[in-house]
């Protein structure tokens, strides 16, 4: 009976999560989920943040990826800067992601935003998390939308690990539409 209660509780909690899997959001839902923040301190402008989404890189619950698209539109009229923020959780030892590559494009350096030890089950086995920022060009988003393809990002780590994150077309379309419609 205890296992059944734990399983049901886990399913209910997963259903109530603020982070949704990529199959649960249409482009309209993503567009409605984009938040805007008017920044006046330091670098004035508008910051856009898409809703957080969840994916796995290998089908395992022990290698989870959460991502969201972000953009910043300077008040001074410069071009909008896009970026993909990726939170990747895995076991054992640090991977130290350093670069990302897009289909048909050269690699770009990623910025390490944060590294955290989430928990340890033994002296040698810990759940680790890295938060990364990957720069994007507007042309990459527009090109993927024109081809009606997802945006595939291959992450490469110093440890030799490679992880692929796919941003579905519906997410790209909803996020980009929110920004374009906001601009007028």
């Amino acid at each position: 009976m205890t296992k059944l209660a734990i399983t049901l509780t886990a399913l209910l909690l997963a259903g109530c999560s603020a982070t949704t899997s990529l199959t649960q959001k249409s482009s309209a839902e993503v567009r409605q989920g984009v938040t805007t923040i008017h920044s006046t301190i330091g670098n004035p402008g508008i910051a856009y943040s898409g809703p957080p989404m969840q994916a796995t890189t290998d089908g395992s619950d022990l290698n989870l990826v959460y991502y969201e698209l972000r953009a910043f539109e300077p008040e001074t009229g410069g071009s909008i800067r896009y970026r993909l923020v990726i939170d990747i959780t895995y076991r054992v030892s640090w991977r130290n992601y350093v670069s990302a590559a897009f289909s048909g494009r050269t690699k770009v350096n990623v910025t390490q935003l944060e590294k955290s030890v989430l928990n340890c089950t033994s002296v040698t086995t810990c759940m680790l998390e890295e938060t990364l920022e990957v720069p994007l060009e507007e042309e990459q988003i527009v090109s993927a939308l024109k081809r009606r393809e997802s945006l595939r990002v291959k992450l490469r780590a110093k440890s030799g690990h490679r992880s692929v994150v796919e941003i579905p077309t519906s997410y790209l379309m909803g996020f980009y539409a929110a920004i374009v419609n906001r601009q007028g």
Side-chain angles (χ1 to χ4, degrees), residues 13-162:
L13 288 174
C16 296
S17 172
T19 303
T20 46
S21 78
L22 49 101
T23 58
Q24 294 177 338
K25 293 244 184 218
S26 68
S27 60
E29 291 171 313
V30 171
R31 184 173 155 213
Q32 291 172 347
V34 173
T35 58
T36 58
I37 300 169
H38 296 274
S39 172
T40 55
I41 301 172
N43 193 6
I46 301 173
Y48 300 92
S49 184
M53 300 294 280
Q54 178 183 349
T56 59
T57 58
D58 65 358
S60 165
D61 288 342
L62 301 175
N63 194 24
L64 293 173
V65 175
Y66 300 90
Y67 64 87
E68 65 185 79
L69 282 174
R70 294 185 184 168
F72 182 76
E73 179 182 6
E75 191 176 272
T76 57
S79 62
I80 297 176
R81 294 186 310 263
Y82 293 88
R83 63 188 194 266
L84 174 64
V85 176
I86 299 172
D87 223 26
I88 187 163
T89 305
Y90 51 86
R91 292 187 306 155
V92 186
S93 60
W94 291 110
R95 294 181 182 173
N96 297 308
Y97 288 96
V98 292
S99 67
F102 302 93
S103 21
R105 303 217 12 134
T106 58
K107 70 178 183 177
V108 295
N109 291 330
V110 300
T111 303
Q112 184 85 234
L113 298 177
E114 188 177 346
K115 287 172 66 170
S116 306
V117 176
L118 299 178
N119 63 33
C120 295
T121 56
S122 71
V123 176
T124 58
T125 306
C126 293
M127 286 299 291
L128 307 168
E129 178 181 56
E130 288 185 56
T131 304
L132 315 166
E133 182 178 273
V134 180
L136 289 172
E137 300 288 328
E138 183 174 15
E139 298 88 46
Q140 291 172 285
I141 296 170
V142 172
S143 177
L145 289 173
K146 283 181 181 176
R147 292 187 322 268
R148 296 182 183 187
E149 294 177 356
S150 60
L151 184 66
R152 291 178 50 93
V153 182
K154 276 188 192 175
L155 299 171
R156 291 183 169 89
K158 286 182 184 177
S159 65
H161 283 89
R162 298 186 193 293

